[in-house]
Amino acid sequence: MDKIVDKIAGFGIPGLMLLIAISMTGLSGAAAITAALALLGPGGMIGGILTLLASGAIAAALAEYGFDAIFRAVVKKLYANGESKNSIKEKIQKGPWSSKLKAKAISDLEKL
């Protein structure tokens, strides 16, 4: 059991996601893995694999830089790509983030 836990921990967030998806299928063996991958992303198994890869990259970035820094960098990039401050502000206001983070992001946006 410890060896299995060590291997899953090595995969990090994507490993946990896959393990949870496998448990949701109610299947076992290769059928469970196939069904879990198909469950995870759009487009069947390939979409599930891409979802796991993307979640791993996002988790690594969050661990290295922190959520606040990445959130603010995305806001700056949206503005640099030509979105208006008002449209970005609306997206921030509608998001599920804390009011403190929203205030920081809007403050950073106003400084641009």
Side-chain angles (χ1 to χ4, degrees):
M1 178 72 146
D2 289 340
K3 289 180 182 180
I4 294 171
V5 171
D6 287 342
K7 288 180 182 184
I8 292 172
F11 290 120
I13 299 296
L16 285 175
M17 289 174 59
L18 184 60
L19 186 63
I20 290 168
I22 288 172
S23 70
M24 291 173 51
T25 66
L27 302 169
S28 62
I33 294 171
T34 302
L37 287 173
L39 252 173
L40 284 172
M45 288 178 56
I46 300 296
I49 292 168
L50 293 175
T51 299
L52 290 175
L53 291 172
S55 67
I58 291 168
L62 287 174
E64 187 170 342
Y65 301 108
F67 182 80
D68 290 357
I70 293 173
F71 186 84
R72 283 187 253 136
V74 168
V75 168
K76 290 177 185 176
K77 187 68 171 178
L78 287 172
Y79 183 69
N81 286 343
E83 278 203 49
S84 71
K85 287 185 179 182
N86 286 335
S87 71
I88 297 171
K89 188 174 179 179
E90 286 176 18
K91 288 178 183 180
I92 293 169
Q93 295 288 358
K94 290 179 185 177
W97 308 286
S98 69
S99 57
K100 183 179 175 183
L101 184 56
K102 287 179 183 180
K104 279 184 190 177
I106 291 172
S107 173
D108 288 348
L109 179 63
E110 296 300 328
K111 294 176 186 175
L112 295 176

